[in-house]
Amino acid sequence: ALTKWTNGLRYSGIALVAILVLMSLLVMVIIISMKVAAKRDEIATMKLLGATPWYINGPFVFEGAIYGILGSLFAWLLVLILMLYTTPVLVNFLGDIPLNTLDPMFLGSLLGISTMSAALLGMISGSFSSRRYGN
């Protein structure tokens, strides 16, 4: 029964992560694209003055990274709170099987990996958004 539970959780977790990554990418691309469209005249002026593409696109890429980092920190805090409340229930359900969910090393690595991947996802979405307008 435990093997069925873990396999089901693993596959649904992979599917959920894929869907959420796609949704996050789309939301950030839309938000940053709206900002790029609002600054279209400023971008045209910067191009006429000889600004490099990185000088024009850089702030949008940085903004996407900030969105990713802030979202990652908020999600990590939410996961930490959920784990604090659900660990006693899981310990009772699983019996003698040890859980290391509140291990500081695990929580730190979860924070680091999620923050880095969210920042990368934000930078990718910022790059897509700013390049769609021909910068």
Side-chain angles (χ1 to χ4, degrees), residues 2 5 9 17 30 41 49 57 59 62-63 65-66 93 95-96 106 109 114 116 133-134:
L2 182 61
W5 275 86
L9 285 174
V17 165
I30 289 169
D41 294 336
L49 293 174
N57 298 336
F62 182 70
E63 182 179 358
I66 295 296
F93 177 72
D96 294 333
F106 170 73
S109 63
S114 65
M116 295 299 280
Y133 286 92

Side-chain angles (χ1 to χ4, degrees), residues 63-113:
E63 182 179 358
I66 295 296
Y67 287 155
I69 290 169
L70 290 176
S72 169
L73 292 175
F74 178 72
W76 181 80
L77 187 62
L78 184 66
V79 165
L80 178 65
I81 291 169
L82 285 173
M83 287 173 72
L84 286 173
Y85 283 110
T86 59
T87 299
V89 174
L90 285 174
V91 167
N92 289 337
F93 177 72
L94 295 175
D96 294 333
I97 299 173
L99 288 177
N100 294 330
T101 56
L102 296 177
D103 181 29
M105 196 68 143
F106 170 73
L107 294 174
S109 63
L110 180 67
L111 176 64
I113 291 170

Side-chain angles (χ1 to χ4, degrees), residues 6 10 12 14 19 23 25 35-36 48 51 54 62 66 68 71 74 86 94-96 99 103 106 116 119:
T6 56
R10 182 176 296 129
S12 16
I14 291 170
I19 290 169
M23 293 299 291
L25 184 69
K35 288 195 168 197
V36 170
L48 288 173
W54 175 248
F62 182 70
I66 295 296
F74 178 72
T86 59
L94 295 175
D96 294 333
L99 288 177
D103 181 29
F106 170 73
M116 295 299 280

Side-chain angles (χ1 to χ4, degrees), residues 17-77:
V17 165
I19 290 169
L20 290 176
V21 163
L22 182 63
M23 293 299 291
S24 298
L25 184 69
L26 290 175
V27 167
M28 284 193 284
V29 165
I30 289 169
I31 289 172
I32 297 172
S33 292
M34 288 172 38
K35 288 195 168 197
V36 170
K39 296 184 183 233
R40 192 176 317 170
D41 294 336
E42 294 175 30
I43 292 172
T45 304
M46 285 192 280
K47 280 183 177 179
L48 288 173
L49 293 174
T52 62
W54 175 248
Y55 186 80
I56 296 170
N57 298 336
F60 301 113
V61 173
F62 182 70
E63 182 179 358
I66 295 296
Y67 287 155
I69 290 169
L70 290 176
S72 169
L73 292 175
F74 178 72
W76 181 80
L77 187 62

